Amino acid sequence: MPGKDALSNAHRALLDSWFARWEALADHSWPLQDTTVLRVRADGGDFIVKASRTSHHIDREIAAHRSFLSSSTAAVPRLVHADVEAKILVATYLPGELVEGTAAEWVTSTYRKAGQVLDALLVPGEVSPDYVGNLRDRGLRSITDAGGLVTAGHLDELRKRLTNIASRPVRLSFTHGDYHPRNWLLHDGDLAVIDFGRADQRHWTSDLVRLQAQQFAARPDLAAAFTTGLGREFGEEDLEILELEWMYQAITTVVWAHGIGDVPFEEHGRRMIARIVN
């Protein structure tokens, strides 16, 4: 079976306990990550199985399903089974074609729909007195980790800008954490969102950074369509925190990608930094 050998004995035992019979149909695992992602057929239906021996992203995804996604009106997978200790979950399989790499990735209607779905996902949460300060401080620590990976001048500029950011309370929202076409599915004209392994409570603008750094960079029409679908106004505070999110995600992209040997993504992080400081 595709990918079945990547599951641990404990993972297979749990699947055997949850389903009378199951078989793996396809392996959707991403390289360079310690997570097995399988499409399985079990008890007359299709499901997605995600399992890992070490990844904390499984824990996050299970928490996202249990805390927010179970009642969300957005088109998302629904949790069927989960075991946090064993790091495995089973969710409903959503039909459709991934947007990334298709013609739909460059069509404004896709982004209008994606904006609408994100608006449905962004459930407001608590007001955090520490979020801005913590993000600033984590960014500063990542600058230290990025020594030798990014030009000294760029690191100095990032350090100066981050140091000047004052902590203040902000309202957080449930955020996807990796919101872009690689995690969007189109089926019969409807857009669904998958992969909540990076979901967390953040400022809502954090889910805009990847799009602004990639698809929106040379296509302002896509950005405009997305903003129309999202239906949110950017206040002065939102724009300031968006810049902080940009700096944090740029520097951590370089450090994280270097750590797992993802050279293209590491270079993408450097381009993000150059765009900020120039």
Side-chain angles (χ1 to χ4, degrees):
M1 293 182 182
K4 184 177 181 180
D5 291 342
L7 297 173
S8 69
N9 291 334
H11 293 150
R12 288 194 290 270
L14 281 168
L15 289 174
D16 289 340
S17 71
W18 290 333
F19 297 114
R21 185 175 182 178
W22 63 275
E23 62 173 330
L25 302 180
D27 188 343
H28 299 294
S29 306
W30 282 91
L32 305 177
Q33 296 188 24
D34 178 32
T35 301
T36 299
V37 182
L38 302 177
R39 177 183 174 186
V40 305
R41 181 157 296 158
D43 298 351
D46 284 7
F47 303 90
I48 290 294
V49 173
K50 292 188 176 183
S52 176
R53 291 173 170 84
T54 61
S55 177
H56 66 281
H57 294 302
I58 297 291
D59 309 55
R60 279 191 182 183
E61 187 150 6
I62 293 171
H65 277 286
R66 289 176 171 171
S67 58
F68 291 98
L69 298 179
S70 61
S71 59
S72 176
T73 60
V76 298
R78 304 297 172 178
L79 189 67
V80 180
H81 299 289
D83 189 306
V84 175
E85 185 176 353
K87 294 187 180 297
I88 183 172
L89 67 86
V90 178
T92 53
Y93 168 78
L94 298 182
E97 183 178 28
L98 282 175
V99 170
E100 186 178 63
T102 70
E105 185 176 357
W106 306 107
V107 176
T108 55
S109 61
T110 300
Y111 290 85
R112 186 170 58 253
K113 293 171 185 175
Q116 292 169 340
V117 173
L118 182 59
D119 183 54
L121 287 173
L122 291 172
V123 178
E126 64 181 12
V127 173
S128 170
D130 306 317
Y131 180 80
V132 169
N134 286 341
L135 200 63
R136 174 200 62 206
D137 294 345
R138 287 158 59 192
L140 288 169
R141 288 194 295 271
S142 293
I143 288 175
T144 300
D145 296 337
L149 303 178
V150 178
T151 62
H154 285 178
L155 291 180
D156 288 344
E157 180 63 22
L158 283 178
R159 186 179 293 107
K160 180 176 71 175
R161 294 191 189 186
L162 286 169
T163 301
N164 288 334
I165 292 174
S167 184
R168 58 186 182 277
V170 296
R171 183 169 298 281
L172 306 184
S173 296
F174 173 76
T175 58
H176 182 276
D178 197 19
Y179 200 74
H180 62 113
R182 190 178 70 193
N183 292 319
W184 302 344
L185 288 173
L186 276 176
H187 180 66
D188 291 341
D190 295 325
L191 188 139
V193 180
I194 61 172
D195 192 359
F196 287 84
R198 290 183 172 84
D200 206 347
Q201 292 284 299
R202 304 180 183 91
H203 192 262
W204 69 272
T205 59
S206 65
D207 267 341
L208 308 184
V209 175
R210 290 193 185 277
L211 290 167
Q212 290 183 344
Q214 297 176 125
Q215 287 79 14
F216 295 172
R219 290 287 303 273
D221 57 325
L222 300 183
F226 185 87
T227 300
T228 297
L230 186 62
R232 294 183 178 225
E233 298 291 333
F234 289 83
E236 182 178 345
E237 180 181 82
D238 295 326
L239 294 173
E240 291 174 352
I241 298 177
L242 177 58
E243 182 178 11
L244 170 60
E245 297 282 358
W246 249 91
M247 290 188 285
Y248 173 75
Q249 291 191 36
I251 192 63
T252 55
T253 291
V254 173
V255 174
W256 181 82
H258 181 76
I260 66 168
D262 189 339
V263 175
F265 199 44
E266 182 180 345
E267 184 57 33
H268 172 68
R270 292 193 190 94
R271 290 194 299 270
M272 289 180 67
I273 292 172
R275 180 173 166 184
I276 297 168
V277 302
N278 291 335

